[in-house]
Amino acid sequence: MSAALLVTASLATSMAVPVAHAAPGKPTERSKQKALAEAERAGLQQKLTALKKDIGKTESAKEDAADTLAESEAAISDANRALRDLQQEQQDTNSKLTALGTERERLSATVKDQQQQLAQMLRQHYVAGNEDRIKLLLSGDNPNRINRDLQMLSYVSQAQAKLLEGLRASLKAVEDNQAATQNAKDELGEIAQEQLQQKNKLEQEKARRAALLSQLSNKLVAQRKEVGNVERDEQRLGGLVTRLNKLIEEQAAAAAAEKRRQEQLAAARAAAKAKAEAEQRALAKARAAEAERQRLARAAAAREAAARAAAVANAGKSGTIKPQTPTPVTPPPAPPVKLDPIDADEPKVTATPAPPEVKEPKEPPAKAADIALAPAAPAGAFASLKGQMRAPVNGRVAAKYGSKRGDGPAWKGVFIKAAEGAEIHAVAGGRVVFAEWLRGFGNLIIVDHGGQYMSIYGNNQSLLKRPGDVVKAGDAIASVGNSGGNEESGLYFELRLRGAAFDPSGWVKF
């Protein structure tokens, strides 16, 4: 067997399908992405926490029994949201594993087919007599036949090389597939472990909340009847909405300023580029003029030399030779220019320094941007949905906008009685701008719909979205509960325009 075929056979027999093993302790892609997402949310969360503390400074220090439940109710919300996210991740990862399995089967079939083709080619080459190029050249056979056989051997070699390259690529794809599969399995293991932790945390927090409720039940009932508490709760929510609107406007102004800065940088770069191109054109033009001047000078000098030679020849014929005074040739003045090395054989001229390099304006290092709170929907989109929006949750409207709360102020929203744990849906598309526990409203989520419209959902058991998340109409954003010391399980719902609550009944189909 020839040397080339020995190498081919060695490669074919050594190329077994690789087996990927996960490195112990190696972080998965999921854990890396999760850490990155948490880092991106950190800046926005700090701002919202500071905003909530600012509201608290304006209130009296009077203790509210519901505040005792705040930590437990927020923990229950976090655990439920984490479990929901993990369930979705689990479904996505299982789908990914199924796709990887299908791809692995296809790749295995491809590798098997390529290996069979390679084995067949080796066998045919061996049966054909195993002639190589050296034997053919030294055989002393007909040169035409030798040339034809050599050409055929080159075709065979090319086919072998192509087949081997395809086999290598397929084996590399199999290896990558197995690594991705192992990573997905590791991610499933992480998810299962986190699910177990979150379930344990959820059970502990539910038991803790039940114990607190039994201790505080009488105090909660008494405080709910106090007119001042309801008024303070409404002022607190109004202050939160006002500050959120201000924060959104500040972000919009900062985004507009950044856009202008980027446009100015782009304009400066374009101007610098245009200036550099103009200088290059001027330099090229000067070089061309200098080259033409020197060409004319050389032509004039050649003509002068020819004239002197003719004069000397004529004088020799007549027998008298008069000395000739050469007429100096003064080339036309031209601006001095720095010549390229290619012009080294030309007469030297005084060079001017090259134009200074135009430096583009340096862009300052980018600051890690917070997650935007600007609405995801254009202004006017929410208003166009008036009378068409579906109720955020299935249930019975127990309190309507404007109705009296006993001796307290009128309702500024609606309260919908619903089963605990039922999904609450966004009434329209927008962006979540607040998702935290707030005194008087428990686990509260606010969605900005653009055009200074907001929808507010309170007393939730769990908040399924985070600040900065974009939502569509009908997306599940929370689950029904009675957080914040509420007596009944249900949803408190408001619509606001420019910070002021208005009657949602003409907008939402309850």
Side-chain angles (χ1 to χ4, degrees):
M1 189 177 286
S2 66
L5 265 295
L6 283 171
V7 174
T8 300
S10 175
L11 283 171
T13 54
S14 64
M15 284 184 175
V17 176
V19 179
H21 296 283
K26 182 180 179 181
T28 63
E29 287 300 319
R30 172 183 173 271
S31 59
K32 294 176 184 177
Q33 292 173 3
K34 191 173 180 180
L36 182 61
E38 290 300 329
E40 288 177 348
R41 292 192 190 101
L44 177 59
Q45 194 58 48
Q46 287 176 359
K47 287 186 177 181
L48 292 177
T49 301
L51 183 149
K52 204 169 81 166
K53 285 182 179 178
D54 187 42
I55 294 172
K57 291 177 183 177
T58 63
E59 298 181 345
S60 65
K62 185 178 178 181
E63 182 186 359
D64 191 300
D67 289 356
T68 311
L69 300 170
E71 185 179 348
S72 179
E73 290 178 343
I76 289 172
S77 173
D78 291 344
N80 274 322
R81 181 179 62 238
L83 282 171
R84 186 184 180 92
D85 291 346
L86 288 169
Q87 184 180 9
Q88 184 60 51
E89 281 189 71
Q90 194 174 44
Q91 292 176 0
D92 294 343
T93 306
N94 280 323
S95 299
K96 182 180 177 182
L97 271 175
T98 302
L100 286 169
T102 303
E103 178 69 8
R104 183 171 60 253
E105 291 176 2
R106 186 190 67 79
L107 287 170
S108 297
T110 301
V111 168
K112 185 177 180 181
D113 182 59
Q114 289 172 331
Q115 287 174 335
Q116 288 176 350
Q117 290 182 37
L118 187 57
Q120 185 179 5
M121 185 176 291
L122 290 170
R123 188 163 49 251
Q124 289 174 349
H125 190 83
Y126 177 78
V127 172
N130 193 26
E131 291 186 347
D132 58 21
R133 290 173 174 78
I134 301 299
K135 285 184 179 180
L136 282 173
L137 289 171
L138 299 177
S139 66
D141 202 348
N142 186 327
N144 291 330
R145 179 181 177 276
I146 292 175
N147 183 59
R148 184 177 67 250
D149 289 349
L150 286 173
Q151 190 66 34
M152 292 298 296
L153 281 176
S154 71
Y155 291 151
V156 172
S157 297
Q158 291 172 14
Q160 289 171 350
K162 186 176 180 182
L163 188 56
L164 282 173
E165 189 61 34
L167 183 57
R168 287 193 187 95
S170 296
L171 289 170
K172 179 64 169 62
V174 170
E175 186 177 357
D176 293 343
N177 176 280
Q178 289 182 336
T181 300
Q182 186 61 51
N183 181 75
K185 289 179 179 178
D186 292 343
E187 288 179 355
L188 280 177
E190 284 183 1
I191 291 170
Q193 184 64 28
E194 287 183 29
Q195 281 178 329
L196 182 61
Q197 293 172 357
Q198 292 297 336
K199 284 178 181 177
N200 291 337
K201 179 180 177 182
L202 181 60
E203 293 303 321
Q204 291 171 4
E205 292 299 339
K206 282 183 175 179
R208 180 184 169 199
R209 182 174 184 270
L212 288 171
L213 277 174
S214 64
Q215 296 172 12
L216 299 170
S217 58
N218 293 334
K219 195 172 183 180
L220 285 168
V221 171
Q223 287 188 345
R224 276 196 296 268
K225 292 180 179 179
E226 292 183 17
V227 175
N229 279 344
V230 177
E231 290 177 345
R232 283 192 293 273
D233 291 344
E234 290 183 351
Q235 290 172 2
R236 190 178 306 110
L237 181 59
L240 172 64
V241 171
T242 300
R243 286 169 172 80
L244 282 173
N245 278 324
K246 183 179 179 182
L247 179 58
I248 293 168
E249 289 174 0
E250 288 174 354
Q251 277 199 345
E258 177 63 17
K259 183 180 179 182
R260 288 194 299 271
R261 189 179 73 87
Q262 292 294 341
E263 290 173 348
Q264 290 170 357
L265 283 172
R269 284 193 290 266
K273 183 179 178 182
K275 182 179 179 182
E277 289 175 350
E279 290 176 349
Q280 289 295 327
R281 287 194 297 270
L283 185 60
K285 189 175 180 180
R287 285 174 176 163
E290 174 64 15
E292 179 63 14
R293 183 188 69 82
Q294 292 181 0
R295 187 187 67 79
L296 292 174
R298 289 194 298 271
R303 287 194 298 271
E304 180 64 23
R308 286 199 303 271
V312 169
N314 291 333
K317 289 178 182 179
S318 61
T320 59
I321 300 176
K322 294 181 180 180
Q324 299 289 326
T325 303
T327 304
V329 178
T330 305
V337 62
K338 183 178 179 180
L339 299 178
D340 288 338
I342 196 171
D343 299 320
D345 58 337
E346 305 291 347
K348 293 184 178 180
V349 295
T350 305
T352 57
E357 181 183 356
V358 179
K359 294 184 178 179
E360 292 186 1
K362 288 187 177 179
E363 188 173 347
K367 180 186 174 184
D370 293 336
I371 297 175
L373 287 182
F382 186 82
S384 67
L385 299 174
K386 183 176 181 180
Q388 303 173 32
M389 290 179 279
R390 299 178 63 181
V393 68
N394 292 325
R396 180 177 64 85
V397 176
K400 295 183 179 180
Y401 175 88
S403 60
K404 293 288 289 182
R405 300 192 192 197
D407 297 332
W411 286 84
K412 290 190 175 181
V414 298
F415 185 78
I416 307 170
K417 285 186 178 181
E420 184 175 345
E423 285 190 347
I424 296 168
H425 305 275
V427 294
R431 189 185 298 273
V432 176
V433 293
F434 188 84
E436 282 191 42
W437 193 94
L438 185 70
R439 182 192 284 187
F441 299 93
N443 290 320
L444 179 75
I445 189 164
I446 302 177
V447 180
D448 185 9
H449 302 285
Q452 299 191 43
Y453 283 97
M454 288 184 176
S455 58
I456 299 173
Y457 312 78
N459 304 127
N460 305 294
Q461 180 191 65
S462 305
L463 305 176
L464 306 180
K465 298 293 182 181
R466 297 178 174 87
D469 286 350
V470 175
V471 296
K472 302 187 298 294
D475 281 357
I477 58 173
S479 62
V480 173
N482 61 344
S483 60
N486 207 39
E487 192 172 3
E488 295 179 293
S489 174
L491 169 68
Y492 177 71
F493 176 74
E494 276 189 18
L495 288 181
R496 293 200 176 216
L497 173 61
R498 291 186 286 275
F502 63 93
D503 187 359
S505 60
W507 292 68
V508 180
K509 299 176 182 177
F510 293 108

